Amino acid sequence: MRSRSAAHRTKTAWPKRAFRHVSRFVSGLALLLLFGFGYQRVEGLWREPEAVLVLGGAAERERFAAEFAKQHPDLPIWVSSGSNPEYAEWVFTEAGIDPNRIHLDYQAVDTVTNFTTLADYFKTRNIRSVYLITSDYHMRRAQVIGEIVLGSRGIDFRPVAVPSARSPEPLSKVVRDAARATLWVVTGETGSSLAAKFR
């Protein structure tokens, strides 16, 4: 018959063993996910972008995109909730860009929905890589959201930052929108109404 101390050791050892197994499983899963994202980013280095995605929020992004479009004459351009249509069309027309290349989309209400409103559309059009244009101070948040939202649809991107004199956005905005982007991937909801409360 086992002693009481041996039985006690067995009872206390079991949770430790279980925790070790669970932690190994979680670590392995995390490594697989990181490897998957890493592989996708490496693979994307050889994939030429097939479109330009401009995030609205500052008129200089459209002016920059119009000049950028001259250097990439075969690529269609999507502007997500940018300036009013009259101004946006004028900017691209003044730069000599064919109006048929320009797609103005006004579904988005914030940075997360800049991505979620177009990710599935890009996928149905078999667009697997895009140039991502936004302001330099906004790029960190945009890249994190893009990795989650576009990455979930097998779409990679190359960031192109528009210079500004502004400081980078606070990390709290990045964390908040990363959570919202993950929520969209899992549930199809972005939590935009909740985000409005924390602006």
Side-chain angles (χ1 to χ4, degrees), residues 35-48:
F35 177 77
F37 275 115
Y39 173 78
Q40 184 172 304
R41 296 302 290 157
V42 170
E43 184 186 31
L45 294 175
W46 287 277
R47 189 182 296 146
E48 283 300 312

PDB file of all heavy atoms in Angstrom, residues 35-48:
ATOM      1  N   PHE A  35       5.557  30.387 -38.249  1.00  0.00           N
ATOM      2  CA  PHE A  35       6.193  29.871 -39.456  1.00  0.00           C
ATOM      3  C   PHE A  35       5.309  30.109 -40.666  1.00  0.00           C
ATOM      4  O   PHE A  35       5.765  30.496 -41.725  1.00  0.00           O
ATOM      5  CB  PHE A  35       6.484  28.373 -39.313  1.00  0.00           C
ATOM      6  CG  PHE A  35       7.070  27.775 -40.572  1.00  0.00           C
ATOM      7  CD1 PHE A  35       8.400  27.981 -40.887  1.00  0.00           C
ATOM      8  CD2 PHE A  35       6.277  27.031 -41.437  1.00  0.00           C
ATOM      9  CE1 PHE A  35       8.934  27.438 -42.051  1.00  0.00           C
ATOM     10  CE2 PHE A  35       6.803  26.495 -42.593  1.00  0.00           C
ATOM     11  CZ  PHE A  35       8.136  26.692 -42.900  1.00  0.00           C
ATOM     12  N   GLY A  36       3.994  29.900 -40.471  1.00  0.00           N
ATOM     13  CA  GLY A  36       3.057  30.119 -41.570  1.00  0.00           C
ATOM     14  C   GLY A  36       3.054  31.560 -42.034  1.00  0.00           C
ATOM     15  O   GLY A  36       3.150  31.846 -43.229  1.00  0.00           O
ATOM     16  N   PHE A  37       2.972  32.505 -41.079  1.00  0.00           N
ATOM     17  CA  PHE A  37       3.005  33.921 -41.445  1.00  0.00           C
ATOM     18  C   PHE A  37       4.341  34.269 -42.079  1.00  0.00           C
ATOM     19  O   PHE A  37       4.400  35.003 -43.056  1.00  0.00           O
ATOM     20  CB  PHE A  37       2.755  34.814 -40.228  1.00  0.00           C
ATOM     21  CG  PHE A  37       1.298  35.038 -39.944  1.00  0.00           C
ATOM     22  CD1 PHE A  37       0.729  34.568 -38.776  1.00  0.00           C
ATOM     23  CD2 PHE A  37       0.497  35.714 -40.847  1.00  0.00           C
ATOM     24  CE1 PHE A  37      -0.622  34.769 -38.509  1.00  0.00           C
ATOM     25  CE2 PHE A  37      -0.851  35.924 -40.592  1.00  0.00           C
ATOM     26  CZ  PHE A  37      -1.408  35.452 -39.416  1.00  0.00           C
ATOM     27  N   GLY A  38       5.423  33.724 -41.489  1.00  0.00           N
ATOM     28  CA  GLY A  38       6.750  34.006 -42.024  1.00  0.00           C
ATOM     29  C   GLY A  38       6.910  33.489 -43.441  1.00  0.00           C
ATOM     30  O   GLY A  38       7.436  34.172 -44.317  1.00  0.00           O
ATOM     31  N   TYR A  39       6.426  32.266 -43.671  1.00  0.00           N
ATOM     32  CA  TYR A  39       6.514  31.689 -45.012  1.00  0.00           C
ATOM     33  C   TYR A  39       5.744  32.539 -46.008  1.00  0.00           C
ATOM     34  O   TYR A  39       6.197  32.808 -47.114  1.00  0.00           O
ATOM     35  CB  TYR A  39       5.961  30.253 -45.008  1.00  0.00           C
ATOM     36  CG  TYR A  39       5.866  29.667 -46.399  1.00  0.00           C
ATOM     37  CD1 TYR A  39       7.010  29.194 -47.037  1.00  0.00           C
ATOM     38  CD2 TYR A  39       4.649  29.615 -47.072  1.00  0.00           C
ATOM     39  CE1 TYR A  39       6.947  28.672 -48.322  1.00  0.00           C
ATOM     40  CE2 TYR A  39       4.569  29.097 -48.347  1.00  0.00           C
ATOM     41  CZ  TYR A  39       5.719  28.624 -48.969  1.00  0.00           C
ATOM     42  OH  TYR A  39       5.646  28.114 -50.233  1.00  0.00           O
ATOM     43  N   GLN A  40       4.541  32.993 -45.583  1.00  0.00           N
ATOM     44  CA  GLN A  40       3.720  33.810 -46.476  1.00  0.00           C
ATOM     45  C   GLN A  40       4.434  35.107 -46.823  1.00  0.00           C
ATOM     46  O   GLN A  40       4.411  35.562 -47.960  1.00  0.00           O
ATOM     47  CB  GLN A  40       2.374  34.120 -45.822  1.00  0.00           C
ATOM     48  CG  GLN A  40       1.428  34.879 -46.729  1.00  0.00           C
ATOM     49  CD  GLN A  40       0.057  34.983 -46.100  1.00  0.00           C
ATOM     50  OE1 GLN A  40      -0.550  33.976 -45.754  1.00  0.00           O
ATOM     51  NE2 GLN A  40      -0.426  36.198 -45.955  1.00  0.00           N
ATOM     52  N   ARG A  41       5.092  35.741 -45.823  1.00  0.00           N
ATOM     53  CA  ARG A  41       5.805  36.986 -46.087  1.00  0.00           C
ATOM     54  C   ARG A  41       6.998  36.738 -47.011  1.00  0.00           C
ATOM     55  O   ARG A  41       7.259  37.531 -47.905  1.00  0.00           O
ATOM     56  CB  ARG A  41       6.294  37.614 -44.775  1.00  0.00           C
ATOM     57  CG  ARG A  41       5.207  38.047 -43.827  1.00  0.00           C
ATOM     58  CD  ARG A  41       4.255  39.060 -44.442  1.00  0.00           C
ATOM     59  NE  ARG A  41       4.893  40.345 -44.646  1.00  0.00           N
ATOM     60  CZ  ARG A  41       4.468  41.238 -45.525  1.00  0.00           C
ATOM     61  NH1 ARG A  41       3.452  41.000 -46.296  1.00  0.00           N
ATOM     62  NH2 ARG A  41       5.090  42.388 -45.648  1.00  0.00           N
ATOM     63  N   VAL A  42       7.732  35.647 -46.791  1.00  0.00           N
ATOM     64  CA  VAL A  42       8.876  35.336 -47.652  1.00  0.00           C
ATOM     65  C   VAL A  42       8.396  35.056 -49.066  1.00  0.00           C
ATOM     66  O   VAL A  42       8.968  35.547 -50.043  1.00  0.00           O
ATOM     67  CB  VAL A  42       9.675  34.131 -47.086  1.00  0.00           C
ATOM     68  CG1 VAL A  42      10.698  33.642 -48.091  1.00  0.00           C
ATOM     69  CG2 VAL A  42      10.354  34.533 -45.780  1.00  0.00           C
ATOM     70  N   GLU A  43       7.334  34.253 -49.180  1.00  0.00           N
ATOM     71  CA  GLU A  43       6.777  33.944 -50.493  1.00  0.00           C
ATOM     72  C   GLU A  43       6.366  35.229 -51.205  1.00  0.00           C
ATOM     73  O   GLU A  43       6.544  35.383 -52.408  1.00  0.00           O
ATOM     74  CB  GLU A  43       5.555  33.018 -50.337  1.00  0.00           C
ATOM     75  CG  GLU A  43       4.974  32.561 -51.658  1.00  0.00           C
ATOM     76  CD  GLU A  43       3.686  31.780 -51.473  1.00  0.00           C
ATOM     77  OE1 GLU A  43       2.951  32.057 -50.522  1.00  0.00           O
ATOM     78  OE2 GLU A  43       3.422  30.913 -52.320  1.00  0.00           O
ATOM     79  N   GLY A  44       5.828  36.179 -50.436  1.00  0.00           N
ATOM     80  CA  GLY A  44       5.363  37.432 -51.019  1.00  0.00           C
ATOM     81  C   GLY A  44       6.466  38.292 -51.591  1.00  0.00           C
ATOM     82  O   GLY A  44       6.204  39.167 -52.426  1.00  0.00           O
ATOM     83  N   LEU A  45       7.721  38.067 -51.160  1.00  0.00           N
ATOM     84  CA  LEU A  45       8.836  38.846 -51.680  1.00  0.00           C
ATOM     85  C   LEU A  45       9.021  38.617 -53.171  1.00  0.00           C
ATOM     86  O   LEU A  45       9.526  39.487 -53.876  1.00  0.00           O
ATOM     87  CB  LEU A  45      10.125  38.499 -50.926  1.00  0.00           C
ATOM     88  CG  LEU A  45      10.170  38.877 -49.437  1.00  0.00           C
ATOM     89  CD1 LEU A  45      11.455  38.368 -48.807  1.00  0.00           C
ATOM     90  CD2 LEU A  45      10.056  40.389 -49.266  1.00  0.00           C
ATOM     91  N   TRP A  46       8.629  37.452 -53.657  1.00  0.00           N
ATOM     92  CA  TRP A  46       8.773  37.135 -55.074  1.00  0.00           C
ATOM     93  C   TRP A  46       7.505  37.408 -55.866  1.00  0.00           C
ATOM     94  O   TRP A  46       7.509  37.316 -57.079  1.00  0.00           O
ATOM     95  CB  TRP A  46       9.180  35.663 -55.242  1.00  0.00           C
ATOM     96  CG  TRP A  46      10.596  35.430 -54.839  1.00  0.00           C
ATOM     97  CD1 TRP A  46      11.707  35.625 -55.594  1.00  0.00           C
ATOM     98  CD2 TRP A  46      11.070  34.975 -53.580  1.00  0.00           C
ATOM     99  NE1 TRP A  46      12.840  35.333 -54.888  1.00  0.00           N
ATOM    100  CE2 TRP A  46      12.486  34.923 -53.648  1.00  0.00           C
ATOM    101  CE3 TRP A  46      10.440  34.616 -52.386  1.00  0.00           C
ATOM    102  CZ2 TRP A  46      13.284  34.517 -52.570  1.00  0.00           C
ATOM    103  CZ3 TRP A  46      11.238  34.220 -51.322  1.00  0.00           C
ATOM    104  CH2 TRP A  46      12.629  34.166 -51.421  1.00  0.00           C
ATOM    105  N   ARG A  47       6.441  37.759 -55.172  1.00  0.00           N
ATOM    106  CA  ARG A  47       5.166  37.991 -55.849  1.00  0.00           C
ATOM    107  C   ARG A  47       4.995  39.476 -56.121  1.00  0.00           C
ATOM    108  O   ARG A  47       5.005  40.283 -55.214  1.00  0.00           O
ATOM    109  CB  ARG A  47       4.018  37.481 -54.968  1.00  0.00           C
ATOM    110  CG  ARG A  47       2.680  37.472 -55.648  1.00  0.00           C
ATOM    111  CD  ARG A  47       1.604  36.998 -54.700  1.00  0.00           C
ATOM    112  NE  ARG A  47       1.809  35.620 -54.301  1.00  0.00           N
ATOM    113  CZ  ARG A  47       1.513  35.119 -53.117  1.00  0.00           C
ATOM    114  NH1 ARG A  47       1.011  35.900 -52.173  1.00  0.00           N
ATOM    115  NH2 ARG A  47       1.709  33.862 -52.834  1.00  0.00           N
ATOM    116  N   GLU A  48       4.834  39.836 -57.368  1.00  0.00           N
ATOM    117  CA  GLU A  48       4.665  41.244 -57.723  1.00  0.00           C
ATOM    118  C   GLU A  48       3.256  41.711 -57.360  1.00  0.00           C
ATOM    119  O   GLU A  48       2.280  41.010 -57.648  1.00  0.00           O
ATOM    120  CB  GLU A  48       4.898  41.454 -59.220  1.00  0.00           C
ATOM    121  CG  GLU A  48       6.364  41.448 -59.627  1.00  0.00           C
ATOM    122  CD  GLU A  48       7.170  42.539 -58.931  1.00  0.00           C
ATOM    123  OE1 GLU A  48       6.713  43.701 -58.920  1.00  0.00           O
ATOM    124  OE2 GLU A  48       8.242  42.219 -58.404  1.00  0.00           O
TER     125      GLU A  48
END
